[in-house]
Amino acid sequence: MTATIHIVDDDADHLSALCDLVSAAGHEVTGFGDARQALDATGPPPDLVITDLRMPGMDGIAFLKAVKAQAPGLPVILLTGHGDVGHAVDAMRAGAEDFLEKPYDGAHLLAVIRRTLGAEAARSELARLQGVLAERSDSRILGTSRAMRAFRDRISALAPVDIDIDIDVVITGETGTGKELAARALHRESPRADAPFVALNCAALPEAMAETILFGHVAGALPHDPEGRAGKLEAAHGGTLMLDEVETMPPAIQAKLLRILQERIVERIGETRPRPLDIRVVATTKTPLSRLEGFRPDLYFRLAGSELVTPTLREAGEDIPLIFAHYAQLAARRYGRPDPEVPWRVQQALKRLAWPGNVRELKAAAEAYALGLFEIEPSAPRASVPQSLAQRVADFEAREIAAVLDAHRGNTQRAADTLGLPRRTLNDKMRRYGLSSDG
Ligand SMILES: Nc1ncnc2c1ncn2[C@@H]1O[C@H](COP(=O)(O)OP(=O)(O)OP(=O)(O)O)[C@@H](O)[C@H]1O
Ligand SMILES: [Mg+2]
């Protein structure tokens, strides 16, 4: 594989010989006579750095530390003079990938380069895959229930429409139902996707600091931060600003925000020149804003260009097994465990539980399940009082049917075949025993 490699050595002859050797192996090589120069180098970052240890000015160890501070994942190989083993130990501690004692064999150096690059490539591929997995898993709104499908459709319909007119969005929903997930999806599916998504938690906003955080300030305006800083509004320019838990916003800030949203300009504190502001605001709230005393109706109308309500698990109950299995699998992979089985009867039991914390709670349970820490009692508690024969037969029948459905993952036709029953009879019995098939 070809790589971009930086080589640092104060000995010009050695440097040029080394550069020749490494570029002859097909790599893109840049040589530096001085460590500072290498640190200040512009252009794309290298895949690997090779540096001499003893150099005037910044030596190899200091250089190594500086490189690792800038780019912790960038591998560094050190070249040490004869008898510098003590330093080599320091170098390994400071994060060097390898070191070679001079004089070294050219073929050996090339082998070390190959090995280092290979290990690095494997590591970054792994990190990339984990990133993709995490991204995909944590950003998708799962579910095939009518409620979830309608919700996703609405997001897809709303996401692209604020190009000419700004349509802000209010997302209302119970705790853990995916309000933030929806806000991010609105951003991702919009033409603003390449611009920033900025999240601001209004509940965590100290009233005294709210203005500076939202609007920013110019240099010299605030004694404790003399440099000046952009506020959250400005940071979201071109993109989306999520006002999380907007129902907690203090009235004074509501008034200021209203003005800004009407005029679409922002002034940093201490500044009189307004800056244009192109943002979409997505506000989330647990309490419907229209019913909230203390929330300015004019701000509510301004924000609620469109409204979305996140479905609860009560409405999307049939999605419980799917979401559970998804997060259980994800957690298992993260911990290097085999994909967990979620038997049909466990799925049914999950559906019967109340999930007051909604998907967040379900997700936490799934993660615990993947680690073997979540136990679920699948059968309803049985009465210990003596039962009639008919009741015991019925119990037995219900258990048998549940077991067969389980074996066929809820497929009623196959279960009916196995039980030797017409499908309609099975459906009747399932209804009577409160068993459902949509595992
Ligand atoms: N439909 C869904 N599919 C998959 N994951 C979901 C879904 N809804 C929510 N989640 C997951 O549940 C967790 C909680 O979601 P999120 O933080 O968006 O909820 P929230 O409504 O903002 O909660 P809170 O009210 O506590 O702020 C997140 O990990 C999110 O990825
Ligand atoms: Mg939230």
Side-chain angles (χ1 to χ4, degrees):
M1 72 186 286
T2 355
T4 308
I5 299 181
H6 285 183
I7 303 179
V8 188
D9 196 332
D10 62 307
D11 177 340
D13 290 343
H14 185 245
L15 179 65
S16 90
L18 192 52
C19 286
D20 288 347
L21 171 74
V22 178
S23 48
H27 299 296
E28 188 92 30
V29 178
T30 316
F32 299 90
D34 177 279
R36 293 233 164 259
Q37 254 176 11
L39 280 179
D40 293 340
T42 50
D47 303 307
L48 174 69
V49 174
I50 302 174
T51 178
D52 191 24
L53 176 68
R54 283 182 191 262
M55 294 185 287
M58 181 182 254
D59 73 1
I61 302 267
F63 175 57
L64 165 69
K65 287 181 178 159
V67 168
K68 289 285 169 182
Q70 268 178 17
L74 178 58
V76 178
I77 298 174
L78 258 108
L79 305 175
T80 66
H82 185 63
D84 270 338
V85 184
H87 280 108
V89 172
D90 290 346
M92 298 308 269
R93 279 212 190 100
E97 253 52 40
D98 216 329
F99 72 94
L100 269 81
E101 212 174 339
K102 289 195 261 190
Y104 50 81
D105 174 49
H108 180 50
L109 174 66
L110 293 178
V112 169
I113 291 175
R114 258 198 316 277
R115 191 179 62 214
T116 307
L117 288 173
E120 188 47 38
R123 252 200 307 278
S124 58
E125 176 63 6
L126 187 66
R128 191 186 67 79
L129 286 175
Q130 280 168 342
V132 168
L133 198 66
E135 157 93 19
R136 205 187 291 151
S137 53
D138 273 339
S139 62
R140 260 180 32 208
I141 299 172
L142 300 171
T144 55
S145 65
R146 184 201 286 269
M148 281 297 184
R149 274 186 289 132
F151 181 57
R152 264 200 310 268
D153 288 349
R154 197 124 154 73
I155 290 176
S156 303
L158 270 178
V161 297
D162 83 326
I163 308 167
D164 299 318
I165 29 161
D166 1 272
I167 298 189
D168 294 328
V169 184
V170 172
I171 304 175
T172 309
E174 284 180 23
T175 185
T177 47
K179 295 185 290 296
E180 176 161 354
L181 196 64
R184 289 183 184 276
L186 275 172
H187 176 72
R188 203 177 46 241
E189 293 183 28
S190 81
R192 301 174 174 275
D194 291 332
F197 175 91
V198 175
L200 176 71
N201 187 335
C202 301
L205 199 62
E207 193 163 351
M209 296 286 295
E211 284 190 36
T212 17
I213 293 172
L214 276 168
F215 312 132
H217 63 277
V218 290
L222 296 178
H224 63 270
D225 191 358
E227 300 225 327
R229 198 182 291 273
K232 291 277 188 180
L233 287 159
E234 214 181 311
H237 185 64
T240 305
L241 174 70
M242 175 173 77
L243 293 177
D244 208 7
E245 307 193 58
V246 75
E247 72 269 35
T248 62
M249 186 176 274
I253 304 300
Q254 289 180 31
K256 296 230 162 73
L257 182 68
L258 175 66
R259 215 198 101 212
I260 282 173
L261 295 184
Q262 281 166 340
E263 298 173 4
R264 300 274 158 176
I265 49 168
V266 64
E267 280 165 27
R268 292 190 186 185
I269 292 170
E271 151 181 271
T272 46
R273 185 174 54 89
R275 303 163 191 250
L277 190 64
D278 169 27
I279 55 171
R280 168 182 252 186
V281 177
V282 177
T284 77
T285 174
K286 290 197 181 72
T287 319
L289 294 182
S290 53
R291 279 201 253 126
L292 197 69
E293 241 171 84
F295 200 86
R296 294 180 68 111
D298 44 7
L299 179 58
Y300 164 64
F301 284 117
R302 177 71 242 190
L303 288 173
S306 218
E307 298 198 63
L308 268 174
V309 180
T310 49
T312 64
L313 280 186
R314 291 186 301 285
E315 295 150 291
E318 66 187 83
D319 290 328
I320 287 175
L322 172 79
I323 295 174
F324 186 87
H326 172 80
Y327 283 121
Q329 185 185 63
L330 216 70
R333 293 194 179 163
R334 203 163 47 233
Y335 294 108
R337 296 191 164 213
D339 285 357
E341 277 284 313
V342 187
W344 188 81
R345 88 194 118 73
V346 173
Q347 298 179 17
Q348 296 307 306
L350 289 169
K351 286 207 250 179
R352 281 193 295 271
L353 294 179
W355 297 97
N358 287 293
V359 182
R360 176 177 300 108
E361 188 184 359
L362 180 64
K363 180 179 172 184
E367 288 166 351
Y369 180 83
L371 297 176
L373 301 172
F374 178 74
E375 300 257 328
I376 185 157
E377 180 45 67
S379 50
R382 258 169 241 295
S384 55
V385 291
Q387 291 172 323
S388 68
L389 180 63
Q391 184 60 52
R392 282 157 64 184
V393 170
D395 274 1
F396 175 75
E397 189 176 53
R399 263 203 313 279
E400 284 302 297
I401 291 174
V404 173
L405 279 167
D406 200 3
H408 292 294
R409 296 171 169 268
N411 183 320
T412 44
Q413 185 58 62
R414 293 212 202 108
D417 293 346
T418 303
L419 291 163
L421 290 174
R423 192 166 168 189
R424 269 194 53 192
T425 312
L426 175 62
N427 281 330
D428 286 344
K429 288 181 187 294
M430 284 169 62
R431 209 167 301 122
R432 187 176 335 134
Y433 298 132
L435 299 167
S436 68
S437 62
D438 48 10

